[in-house]
Amino acid sequence: MRTEIIAAGVLVASAVLGVRYLDRTAPEPQTRNLAAVTAPTQTQNHWAREVRIAASRDHQFYVNAEVNRRSAKFLVDTGASYVALRDSDAREAGIYTSHTDYNYPVRTANGETNAAFVTLDEVEINGIRVEGVKAFILPDNQLAINLLGMSFLSRIESVEARAGELVLRG
């Protein structure tokens, strides 16, 4: 079990460092894949503190976050390059899309679909706030839960998995 936790920590740290490097060197992505594309960094970060998220029974990390000051539940997903929001949660956060906005082909765990590409005003988790977060909006039937991807995670100070919890520092 300890080896798995150490391996997870190394994987998360490598993903964060890799995305930070690529954010500085890569232009806006042409490929639209939630699991393989890196988002460029936009506006400034507002770092505040440390947040600890205990692993759930399924060994995943779930967190409540504020999107544009509206609460939404997320699965922390270091394999997702972007934050991904269910359409219903996007509307709750004041983000309205039309059918014609869903013109970005993406690959998810549920297969291929189309998504709307947006910039969220802010995403905040217990005082750790990032502004100008790139995100995809997907139809509710294509996304079971919102994903907190690397377009948020790569812009905070650190992400570390240890002793059955995920530690976010900002």
Side-chain angles (χ1 to χ4, degrees):
M1 179 70 175
R2 182 181 175 115
T3 304
E4 292 170 335
I5 292 171
I6 291 170
V10 169
L11 179 65
V12 168
S14 297
V16 169
L17 292 174
V19 168
R20 282 187 176 174
Y21 172 77
L22 290 173
D23 274 353
R24 287 188 214 117
T25 61
E28 183 71 27
Q30 297 300 313
T31 305
R32 295 163 191 100
N33 179 347
L34 289 178
V37 179
T38 303
T41 301
Q42 290 292 314
T43 63
Q44 70 183 33
N45 295 338
H46 293 279
W47 295 333
R49 60 194 225 197
E50 184 175 275
V51 175
R52 294 175 178 270
I53 305 165
S56 66
R57 286 186 192 178
D58 65 358
H59 306 287
Q60 301 290 332
F61 298 100
Y62 298 93
V63 65
N64 287 321
E66 301 274 323
V67 176
N68 298 350
R69 302 186 188 262
R70 295 292 200 169
S71 183
K73 186 173 182 176
F74 285 85
L75 167 66
V76 179
D77 186 355
T78 58
S81 295
Y82 291 95
V83 167
L85 280 176
R86 295 167 44 89
D87 183 59
S88 58
D89 288 319
R91 284 192 311 271
E92 279 288 319
I95 303 161
Y96 299 97
T97 55
S98 70
H99 180 69
T100 59
D101 294 326
Y102 288 81
N103 55 4
Y104 291 87
V106 295
R107 283 180 235 120
T108 71
N110 290 333
E112 291 190 20
T113 189
N114 287 327
F117 192 62
V118 300
T119 300
L120 307 173
D121 292 338
E122 66 182 40
V123 176
E124 183 173 348
I125 301 171
N126 294 339
I128 298 176
R129 181 171 54 129
V130 178
E131 297 176 346
V133 177
K134 299 288 186 183
F136 280 109
I137 309 297
L138 285 93
D140 285 2
N141 65 351
Q142 291 294 316
L143 190 63
I145 187 169
N146 299 312
L147 302 176
L148 190 66
M150 295 306 292
S151 62
F152 173 86
L153 296 170
S154 69
R155 295 182 53 204
I156 64 176
E157 188 176 309
S158 68
V159 178
E160 180 182 358
R162 64 177 178 208
E165 67 181 4
L166 192 66
V167 180
L168 307 179
R169 283 196 196 91

